Amino acid sequence: MNVTLKGIHKFYGKVHANRGITVTFRQGTIHGILGENGAGKSTLMKILAGYVPRSDGTILIEGQPADYSSPQEALKHGIGMLYQDPLDFPALTALQNFTIGQPSAPFLSPEKKFKKIFQELAGHFNFSIQPDSLLENLSLGERQQLEIIRLVAAGAQLIILDEPTTGISVHQKEALFSALKQLASAGKTIVLVSHKLEDVMALCSEVSVLRQGECVGHMTAPFDKETLLKHMFGRVPAPVSRCIVEKGSSLLWMEGVSAVWKNIRIRRCSFRVKEGEIVGIAGLEGSGQAVLLRTAAGLIQPVEGNIYWRREQITGRERRFFKNKGIFFVPADRIQEGLFPDLTLQEHYALTFFEESLIIPHKGSKEVASERVRTFSIKGRESQRVTELSGGNQQRLMLSLLPTDPQLLLLEHPTRGLDIESASWLWKHLQRLSSKGAAIVFTSGDLDEIFSVAHRVVVFFEGRIVLDENVDHVSVKDVQKAMAGVFRD
């Protein structure tokens, strides 16, 4: 299916998010949409998917104007979207989520019919999701896989994927790429929204670049990386490098800790982090990294072992106690765990920085909001709701809610959804905190990121720490082997 967006404009109040964008998506191709955070990528795709109305412009399907005002109507036109944070129902099973929006069978049992379709499609794309699994127990990558087969079963001919490789494992990324290539070969039109040049260059035959709401460039493969970067940012961003800090005394350490969260377990893990240290945690998704961070933050109680903070045993203490010690956690799932989707930026700052007040001062919260939005370069207004921000700006908002003097930051995929320049800005900010003595522990599916900024790398495999080394003493290959369960002698 060939689809053209012609002269698309979108206003959010005074904000001109899309400025007369024209682009064509051709049948049987994978078309990349590149741009920095806040460039208008997600807004444009939500217009195409019927999630938000356009202010002006035309959508043409096979040359004919198409009007629709909801995702359901868009899907009837053959257009479906996998959102950056999947719009699903955590309390339902994978199969129940799969059947939502599907036409019912007139003679067969719908559950039996859809289970058969589910299993056939999952097997066709080599996805490992099981129909009876509760959605809340699935990883982000598995939820994306579920949404892809749901859209295919519903008849989508053009499938939009918004930052699909952010926060998923290497194995899931390989499975995703294979599925997208199969879909394009079968005649589907794939639109890949991303800020990751390596993903776009590996998959796409055409690329359009957005900047400040406008389409500033269009290229066909093969692509020149430097040209793409200049289109995105106006220049080639400087890479971030590891900072040298004087590591102090031990802040937090765990001894033989076992814990469980969402059916993922860690077993007898011993782990220590010092003042000023930046530690990167690697591992296949579901190996235990998420459990370790939440246990260290006081969000999960260990079933075995002890946790210490500056020599004080804090095992079993409530989350507020950890917070008062200066320990803060930032989750990967912004919408489900990190933010309130329907609250404004100012309301988030009011709840965070005036939580002890019986009456929240409007003027004070507005001043804090203005200062934080400016300091963290959030592209949005204090009065905007979280859902109106791009994914990258939602990430900046979460980080801006942290105090200026934390003792320990536990970050789950902190650069998720951030473009190269924003990720560089983030790490420079975190390195400034590190230089003041704050310890930073983060998970990442990007080993290049870990080796670029971390002083130490920790690898999880099946709930256990199997490698814990200074990054100068191991190679990327060593870490990859440990992630796969092949350990050094």
Side-chain angles (χ1 to χ4, degrees), residues 207-220:
V207 168
S208 298
V209 183
L210 303 191
R211 189 176 174 204
Q212 297 180 348
E214 298 180 344
C215 186
V216 296
H218 180 84
M219 299 176 65
T220 55

Side-chain angles (χ1 to χ4, degrees), residues 245 276 404-407 430-438:
V245 296
T404 56
D405 57 347
Q407 297 294 300
L430 294 175
Q431 287 172 343
R432 282 193 294 271
L433 296 177
S434 170
S435 69
K436 296 177 182 178

Side-chain angles (χ1 to χ4, degrees), residues 92-98 115 118-119 122-123 126-135 137-138 142-143 145-146 149:
L92 302 182
T93 66
L95 181 60
Q96 288 168 332
N97 273 275
F98 175 80
K115 189 170 185 178
F118 180 109
Q119 291 171 327
N126 290 319
F127 294 163
S128 58
I129 44 176
Q130 298 301 315
D132 298 327
S133 299
L134 273 178
L135 198 82
N137 293 330
L138 298 184
E142 290 169 329
R143 288 164 62 197
Q145 292 175 358
L146 172 61
I149 64 171

